[in-house]
């Protein structure tokens, strides 16, 4: 049996951890540049606030109902996620971190009742991290996803749902639309609908060989999983990313080249940091720049830059990205967004040059290690490239950002006794 533990309204719940006065109040979290609603507490959902609604359209509604508004605080969410995952590792020797707010656990050999164990997981996470979670338990990943959804939606489940018999998962499948099945998107759901498959149960009972002709080979695996046959193994070591992108909208539209160069230097630094984190080098860099598509004279250009050798040196990557942006830039436009993508990655152990091209100097690798160690110990941004600028007026709008409770000493919450 597998368990899927999912944080409830993760970003909103993270904001409530250090603000107990917000528990029971509607809370929303906004996207980059405070553009859209990306997370809502249950109380906010009850007000009819939809996902991905533009903030400017519903700001009056939020103010009227005294909704707590927050800008995205990803360092805080990442740290809380790490605490949740480390706590969950105590409940199973085999786990898979599926996303920032989800983890699969292998419960093979468990001697305790499924529901009791699920409630113990919930109680422990609330006691130790103050994170509310839902737990779905089933013999396959796809069924665990369905069970977790039921744990969230059905009040009688009290946050835990165990689908340990065919009768239980078939009862749930008959009441769940096919587009709620893990791996079935809207387009595939429409195609299945034309074949008379409307519910998860319809899909589970369908002939996989016939469906494969109309869809793809993955549908056979999904059908097996819906019938309790585990076809997807736990990925205890997540695979390295094949591409790494860092893209941001500017806090204000930029017409001058210099602030754009500063922004691109920062994006290149962030991407290079992630690159070293997964022990890889990059051979090609994708850089793009564009104005708002909603304004007249839309301008968008991109280019691919070849590195002189496979590298993870922030200085070289930023220099190449800045050179590319200088070529892409055109005066007279108000640019909205830029991005840097590391698109041709190789493991560091394979990144050697040939007799005509020297590889990355050993001194550069040592310098990057020192850079990362300092920033890990004293906080991101302690050391940075001068090309990023000191006063970043172009940075994203984050008018409602909460303090860095877990990563900065000066932001530690105070307790008055």
């Amino acid at each position: 049996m597998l368990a899927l533990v999912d944080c409830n309204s993760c970003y909103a719940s993270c904001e409530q951890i250090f603000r107990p006065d917000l528990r029971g109040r509607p809370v929303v979290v906004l996207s980059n540049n405070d553009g859209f609603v990306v997370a809502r507490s249950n109380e906010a959902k009850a007000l009819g606030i939809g996902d991905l609604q533009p903030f400017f359209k519903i700001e009056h509604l939020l103010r009227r109902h005294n909704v707590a508004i927050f800008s995205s605080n990803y360092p805080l969410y990442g740290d809380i996620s790490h605490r949740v995952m480390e706590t969950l590792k105590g409940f199973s020797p085999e786990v898979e971190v599926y996303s920032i707010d989800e983890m699969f656990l292998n419960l093979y050999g468990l001697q305790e009742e499924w529901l009791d164990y699920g409630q113990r997981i919930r109680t422990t996470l609330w006691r130790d991290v103050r994170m509310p979670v839902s737990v779905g338990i089933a013999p396959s990943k796809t069924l665990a996803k369905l069970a977790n959804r039921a744990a969230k939606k059905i009040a009688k489940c009290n946050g835990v749902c165990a689908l340990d018999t065919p009768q239980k998962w078939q009862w749930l499948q008959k009441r769940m639309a096919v587009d709620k099945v893990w791996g079935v998107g809207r387009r595939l759901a429409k195609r299945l609908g034309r074949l008379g498959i409307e519910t998860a149960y319809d899909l589970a009972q369908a002939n996989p060989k016939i469906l494969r002709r109309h869809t793809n080979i993955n549908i056979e695996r999904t059908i097996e999983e819906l019938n309790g046959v585990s076809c997807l193994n736990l990925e205890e070591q997540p695979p390295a990313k094949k591409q790494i992108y860092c893209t941001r909208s500017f806090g204000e539209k930029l017409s001058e080249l210099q602030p754009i160069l500063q922004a691109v230097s920062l994006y290149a630094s962030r991407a290079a940091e992630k690159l070293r984190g997964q022990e890889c080098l990059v051979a090609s860099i994708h850089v793009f720049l564009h104005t708002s598509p909603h304004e007249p004279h839309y301008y968008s250009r991109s280019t691919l830059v070849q590195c002189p050798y496979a590298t993870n040196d922030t200085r070289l990557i930023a220099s190449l990205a800045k050179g590319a942006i200088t070529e892409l830039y055109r005066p007279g436009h108000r640019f909205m967004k830029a991005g840097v993508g590391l698109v041709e990655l190789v493991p560091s152990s394979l990144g050697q040059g040939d007799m005509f091209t020297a590889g990355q100097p050993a001194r550069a690798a040592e310098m990057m290690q020192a850079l990362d160690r300092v920033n890990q110990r004293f906080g991101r941004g302690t050391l940075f490239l001068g090309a990023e600028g000191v006063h970043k007026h172009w940075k994203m709008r984050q008018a409602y950002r909460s303090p860095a409770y877990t990563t900065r000493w000066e932001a530690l919450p105070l307790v008055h006794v």
Side-chain angles (χ1 to χ4, degrees), residues 12 23 35 44 96 181 225 289 324 379 383 408:
R23 292 180 192 142
E96 175 190 337
V181 175
E225 288 254 325
L289 178 69
L383 291 180
R408 291 191 179 274

Side-chain angles (χ1 to χ4, degrees), residues 254-413:
L254 302 176
S255 55
E256 300 295 327
L257 176 59
Q258 187 56 35
I260 297 175
L261 291 175
Q262 292 179 354
V264 168
S265 297
L266 174 63
Y267 303 161
S269 297
R270 293 284 187 266
E273 182 182 334
K274 295 178 182 178
L275 179 72
R276 293 190 294 272
Q278 69 175 41
E279 299 182 355
C280 283
L281 306 172
V282 62
S284 298
I285 304 172
H286 177 226
V287 183
F288 70 84
L289 178 69
H290 67 76
T291 62
S292 170
H294 305 294
E295 292 185 357
H297 310 296
Y298 175 62
Y299 177 88
S300 175
R301 288 191 64 191
S302 66
T303 187
L304 192 68
V305 183
Q306 291 295 130
C307 301
Y309 48 80
T311 182
N312 60 15
D313 189 338
T314 294
R315 299 167 301 170
L316 176 57
I317 294 171
S319 176
L320 293 172
K322 286 169 57 184
I325 281 292
T326 303
E327 293 294 324
L328 300 180
Y329 171 79
R330 293 290 181 275
H333 293 284
R334 299 171 68 240
F335 292 97
M336 182 188 79
K337 189 174 185 178
V340 176
L342 312 182
V343 296
E344 188 181 344
L345 308 186
V346 295
S348 298
S349 58
L350 303 179
Q352 64 183 52
D354 53 38
M355 64 182 297
F356 302 106
T357 306
Q360 176 167 275
R363 188 173 179 82
E366 293 170 0
M367 184 175 292
M368 292 302 104
Q369 289 177 3
L371 173 70
D372 291 337
R373 281 198 297 267
V374 170
N375 285 333
Q376 287 168 6
R377 181 173 181 180
F378 298 103
R380 172 182 279 177
T382 301
L383 291 180
F384 59 91
L385 294 179
E388 298 175 20
V390 178
H391 304 292
K392 303 176 177 66
H393 303 293
W394 43 266
K395 289 193 72 173
M396 292 185 300
R397 292 190 300 273
Q398 294 182 311
Y400 309 97
R401 180 164 170 155
S402 55
Y405 295 114
T406 62
T407 52
R408 291 191 179 274
W409 288 106
E410 63 271 19
L412 282 175

Side-chain angles (χ1 to χ4, degrees), residues 188-240:
L188 179 56
K190 288 182 180 179
R191 202 180 310 169
L192 293 173
R194 291 193 289 268
L195 298 173
I197 298 173
E198 302 290 344
T199 67
Y201 181 76
D202 295 336
L203 180 58
Q205 301 304 310
N207 187 317
K209 301 300 181 184
I210 295 178
L211 278 191
R212 179 177 172 179
R213 299 177 200 156
H214 298 275
T215 56
N216 55 54
I217 190 173
N218 293 328
I219 201 70
E220 292 189 58
R221 186 171 58 189
T222 300
I223 292 174
E224 291 286 344
E225 288 254 325
L226 285 172
N227 286 286
V229 180
S230 181
C231 302
L232 301 170
N233 298 323
L234 290 185
E235 294 183 358
E236 297 184 62
Q237 281 292 345

Side-chain angles (χ1 to χ4, degrees), residues 16-232:
Q16 291 173 318
I17 289 176
F18 295 97
R19 290 283 307 276
D21 59 303
L22 296 180
R23 292 180 192 142
R25 267 186 62 188
V27 175
V28 299
V29 177
L30 306 177
S31 65
N32 292 338
N33 272 322
D34 297 339
F36 298 86
V37 173
V38 294
R40 305 154 292 155
S41 65
N42 288 332
E43 295 79 8
K45 294 175 183 177
L47 294 175
I49 300 169
D51 193 24
L52 297 180
Q53 284 193 288
F55 175 53
F56 76 92
K57 287 187 176 181
I58 61 170
E59 184 175 1
H60 65 286
L61 173 67
L62 303 180
R63 305 292 185 193
R64 186 166 71 243
H65 291 282
N66 194 29
V67 177
I69 304 167
F70 290 95
S71 303
S72 297
N73 189 345
Y74 296 116
L76 174 65
Y77 308 152
D79 193 58
I80 297 300
S81 171
H82 177 73
R83 297 180 186 201
V84 169
M85 301 310 172
E86 287 300 308
T87 303
L88 287 174
K89 288 177 182 178
F91 287 92
S92 173
E94 297 180 28
V95 299
E96 175 190 337
V97 178
Y98 181 66
S99 68
I100 191 172
D101 61 347
E102 294 176 282
M103 175 181 267
F104 285 102
L105 287 73
N106 188 349
L107 302 185
Y108 176 78
L110 181 67
Q111 300 300 313
E112 194 172 337
E113 290 290 332
W114 307 121
L115 295 179
D116 293 342
Y117 201 66
Q119 289 297 343
R120 188 145 68 87
I121 291 174
R122 295 184 73 237
T123 302
T124 302
L125 283 171
W126 178 254
R127 182 195 66 204
D128 295 351
V129 190
R130 278 295 185 266
M131 175 58 70
V133 299
S134 298
V135 183
I137 301 173
S140 70
K141 280 186 172 181
T142 304
L143 284 179
K145 277 277 191 178
L146 292 185
N148 190 278
R149 184 176 181 83
K152 287 180 183 290
K153 301 292 184 181
I154 301 176
K156 287 184 178 180
C157 289
N158 193 25
V160 180
C161 176
L163 303 179
D164 51 356
T165 65
Q167 291 76 17
K168 291 180 181 179
W169 66 65
Q170 288 173 6
W171 181 91
L172 184 60
Q173 289 169 356
K174 291 176 181 178
R175 291 158 177 80
M176 190 168 289
V178 71
D179 63 353
K180 304 303 181 186
V181 175
W182 189 33
V184 178
R186 292 183 180 179
R187 293 177 61 184
L188 179 56
K190 288 182 180 179
R191 202 180 310 169
L192 293 173
R194 291 193 289 268
L195 298 173
I197 298 173
E198 302 290 344
T199 67
Y201 181 76
D202 295 336
L203 180 58
Q205 301 304 310
N207 187 317
K209 301 300 181 184
I210 295 178
L211 278 191
R212 179 177 172 179
R213 299 177 200 156
H214 298 275
T215 56
N216 55 54
I217 190 173
N218 293 328
I219 201 70
E220 292 189 58
R221 186 171 58 189
T222 300
I223 292 174
E224 291 286 344
E225 288 254 325
L226 285 172
N227 286 286
V229 180
S230 181
C231 302
L232 301 170

